[in-house]
């Protein structure tokens, strides 16, 4: 089995993960395998507020918001989204903590109980059903995956949950949204106002108790088609008795996004922060590198992202995550230069950094852990989740073994 230890150092914690191939237990899902090597968590005390939030998750939700790209959104997976690393991380942290009535099994939307956008940008992922006239809203919603509904437009999710939150965007002269649950429009869902002046922001409609099981939620612009008034829906979050409690790992990622794009799109960051994180996890950089953005410029974009987050009122910890080394492409800047820029951002208050390139295998399309030179396969997802679990579990809760939650297979 893989054994994990934390070693305190001068301003960092070293996470040591030993090779953990469980003989006879490995399969194509990646179960029984773990990362190997040493990852340094810099400025580890930055994470103390997160650990405090986790320790009281029996009475208040402890939220991680993942501001990532296609590696986090789940590119390459087509269904059973509980296999994504962020869903596995949620299940593993809940298992590690042992808080009663915090589900770790698959549920929600195609297995995920994380936030589900109105429009996934990874083409392999299962989108909700969209009907009628709609327009993508790439600057709005967590991960910039909103959908603007013109009159007659609608979006439908079918989820396993006992209640849901529907995220939407207020706007000047926005039209009302109608929200239907299991074929019935509740009184507070008949005309949800989205008009606002002058402040535009993400808001949330909550369903109330729906009872356990499968429920169909439709959000539509029910205005006559002769109207020109639109309304924007951004996301749905399913709950299973864990509303306002337990650990939640929330997907605010978008395939193809770069730090530079987020830094230049304040509404993208603002709507992601509206999820009220106790920890902002930022595993970005691949798309900046692939766009040949110089490493120093990438660093300046990270500065801007941190400064904007603080300006928007977020005072909690920010953890920058350096991923595995991507497949080398001729003429492309070295990934190590981007990792160095992330490390340098710990000069900001309440910003930490972990370099997982030391514990995760290099991206290789010939490996069972990757589908190409960048994206992890279903077998690679548990390696990421295991590494982050050991970093984000409170020190007193650190177990002696590393692995994936049995409920997340």
């Amino acid at each position: 089995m893989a054994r994990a230890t934390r070693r305190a150092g001068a301003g960092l914690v070293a996470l040591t993960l030993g090779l953990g191939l469980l003989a006879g237990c490995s399969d194509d899902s990646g179960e029984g395998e773990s990362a190997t090597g040493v990852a340094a968590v810099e400025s580890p005390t930055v994470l103390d507020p997160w650990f405090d939030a986790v320790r009281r998750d029996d009475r208040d939700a402890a939220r991680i918001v993942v501001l990532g790209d296609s590696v986090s959104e789940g590119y390459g997976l087509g269904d059973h989204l509980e296999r994504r690393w962020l869903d596995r991380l949620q299940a593993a942290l809940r298992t590690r903590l042992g808080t009663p009535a915090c589900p770790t099994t698959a549920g929600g939307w195609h297995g995920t109980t994380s936030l589900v956008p109105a429009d996934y940008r990874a083409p392999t992922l299962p989108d909700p059903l969209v009907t009628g006239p709609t327009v993508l809203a790439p600057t709005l919603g967590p991960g910039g995956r909103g959908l603007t509904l013109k009159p007659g437009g609608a979006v439908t999710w079918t989820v396993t949950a006992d209640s849901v939150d529907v995220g939407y965007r207020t706007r000047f002269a926005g039209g009302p949204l109608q929200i239907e649950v299991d074929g019935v429009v509740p009184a507070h869902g008949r005309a949800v106002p989205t008009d606002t002046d002058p402040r535009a922001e993400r808001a949330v409609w909550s369903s109330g108790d729906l009872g356990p099981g499968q429920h169909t939620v439709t959000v539509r612009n029910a205005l006559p088609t002769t109207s020109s008034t639109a309304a924007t829906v951004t996301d749905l979050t399913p709950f299973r008795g864990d509303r306002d409690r337990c650990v939640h790992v929330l997907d605010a990622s978008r395939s193809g996004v770069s730090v530079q794009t987020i830094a230049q799109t304040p509404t993208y960051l603002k709507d992601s922060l509206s999820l009220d994180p106790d920890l902002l996890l930022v595993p970005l950089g691949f798309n900046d590198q692939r766009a040949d953005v110089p490493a120093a410029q990438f660093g300046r974009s990270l500065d801007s992202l941190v400064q904007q987050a603080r300006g928007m009122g977020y005072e909690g910890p920010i953890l920058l995550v350096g991923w595995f080394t991507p497949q080398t492409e001729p003429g492309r800047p070295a990934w190590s230069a981007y990792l160095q820029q992330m490390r340098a951002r710990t000069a900001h208050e309440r910003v930490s950094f972990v370099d997982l390139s030391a514990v995760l295998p290099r991206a290789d399309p010939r490996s069972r852990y990757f589908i190409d030179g960048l994206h992890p396969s279903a077998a690679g997802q548990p390696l990421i989740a295991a590494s982050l679990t050991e970093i984000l579990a409170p020190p007193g809760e650190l177990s002696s073994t590393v692995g994936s939650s049995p409920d997340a297979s």
Side-chain angles (χ1 to χ4, degrees):
M1 288 193 176
R3 306 195 69 82
T5 61
R6 294 178 189 261
R7 297 199 306 269
L12 59 82
V13 167
L15 175 67
T16 306
L17 296 174
L19 181 62
L21 179 60
L22 300 182
C25 296
S26 178
D27 59 29
D28 287 340
S29 71
E31 296 295 341
E33 308 205 26
S34 77
T36 180
V38 178
V41 183
E42 307 214 12
S43 303
T45 58
V46 164
L47 298 180
D48 286 349
W50 161 248
F51 296 142
D52 290 341
V54 168
R55 291 188 180 103
R56 58 176 185 269
D57 80 323
D58 60 330
R59 53 191 185 279
D60 293 302
R63 301 180 185 90
I64 300 173
V65 170
V66 181
L67 197 68
D69 51 29
S70 56
V71 173
S72 302
E73 193 178 36
Y75 178 92
L77 297 179
D79 207 340
H80 295 288
L81 300 188
E82 73 276 10
R83 296 178 299 166
R84 296 185 302 176
W85 71 259
L86 57 85
D87 292 274
R88 289 180 177 274
L89 174 61
Q90 175 177 292
L93 288 173
R94 289 183 174 193
T95 299
R96 182 72 61 86
L97 293 163
T99 304
C102 291
T104 59
T105 54
W109 173 258
H110 291 264
T112 184
T113 55
S114 186
L115 177 145
V116 184
D119 177 67
Y120 279 118
R121 294 307 170 88
T124 63
L125 297 179
D127 282 320
L129 175 66
V130 176
T131 57
T134 62
V135 179
L136 295 179
T139 66
L140 302 178
R145 298 168 297 180
L147 194 66
T148 296
L149 309 180
K150 296 182 178 181
V155 57
T156 299
W157 295 267
T158 298
V159 295
T160 301
D162 59 25
S163 67
V164 300
D165 279 352
V166 174
Y168 61 93
R169 202 50 159 72
T170 62
R171 55 186 285 176
F172 176 72
L177 289 169
Q178 183 187 87
I179 301 179
E180 174 186 295
V181 181
D182 297 331
V184 176
V185 179
H188 71 305
R190 291 174 185 165
V192 180
T194 73
D195 184 19
T196 185
D197 185 19
R199 187 175 180 182
E201 60 188 0
R202 176 179 172 271
V204 173
W205 178 91
S206 296
S207 67
D209 184 20
L210 302 176
Q214 195 171 82
H215 300 281
T216 298
V217 180
T218 297
V219 183
R220 63 168 52 89
N221 182 337
L223 291 175
T225 55
T226 53
S227 173
S228 60
T229 303
T232 299
V233 61
T234 58
D235 56 90
L236 177 144
T237 303
F239 298 98
R240 295 183 297 165
D242 54 0
R243 177 188 289 276
D244 299 325
R245 56 187 303 278
C246 308
V247 171
H248 295 264
V249 182
L250 300 173
D251 171 20
S253 303
R254 187 174 86 190
S255 294
V257 79
S258 64
V259 173
Q260 186 176 57
T261 296
I262 296 174
Q264 294 173 349
T265 316
T267 53
Y268 185 117
L269 181 59
K270 180 180 179 181
D271 285 5
S272 298
L273 292 176
S274 73
L275 298 172
D276 192 21
D278 295 285
L279 172 65
L280 184 63
L281 199 71
V282 185
L284 289 168
F286 281 157
N287 290 312
D288 297 85
Q289 184 208 31
R290 289 164 67 85
D292 295 323
V293 173
Q297 185 176 334
F298 166 72
R300 291 191 292 272
S301 294
L302 282 175
D303 289 333
S304 178
L305 187 153
V306 171
Q307 291 161 2
Q308 288 183 54
R310 300 307 185 205
M312 293 173 184
Y314 177 66
E315 297 298 330
I318 297 174
L319 178 61
L320 306 178
V321 178
W323 279 146
F324 48 84
T325 302
Q327 186 177 36
T328 302
E329 297 184 23
R332 188 134 288 164
W335 179 237
S336 59
Y338 294 83
L339 297 176
Q340 290 169 5
Q341 291 294 325
M342 293 183 218
R343 181 177 290 108
R345 264 62 237 173
T346 59
H348 291 284
E349 288 188 20
R350 301 182 298 282
V351 175
S352 183
F353 166 69
V354 61
D355 179 5
L356 292 184
S357 68
V359 300
L360 297 175
R362 287 174 172 265
D364 185 343
R366 299 167 298 179
S367 165
R368 63 191 293 267
Y369 300 119
F370 294 91
I371 61 175
D372 52 30
L374 185 67
H375 298 100
S377 64
Q381 302 289 331
L383 305 186
I384 296 173
S387 300
L388 288 171
T389 299
E390 299 312 307
I391 293 163
L392 297 177
E397 321 304 327
L398 187 65
S399 73
S400 61
T401 61
V402 176
S404 303
S405 166
D407 293 321
S409 60

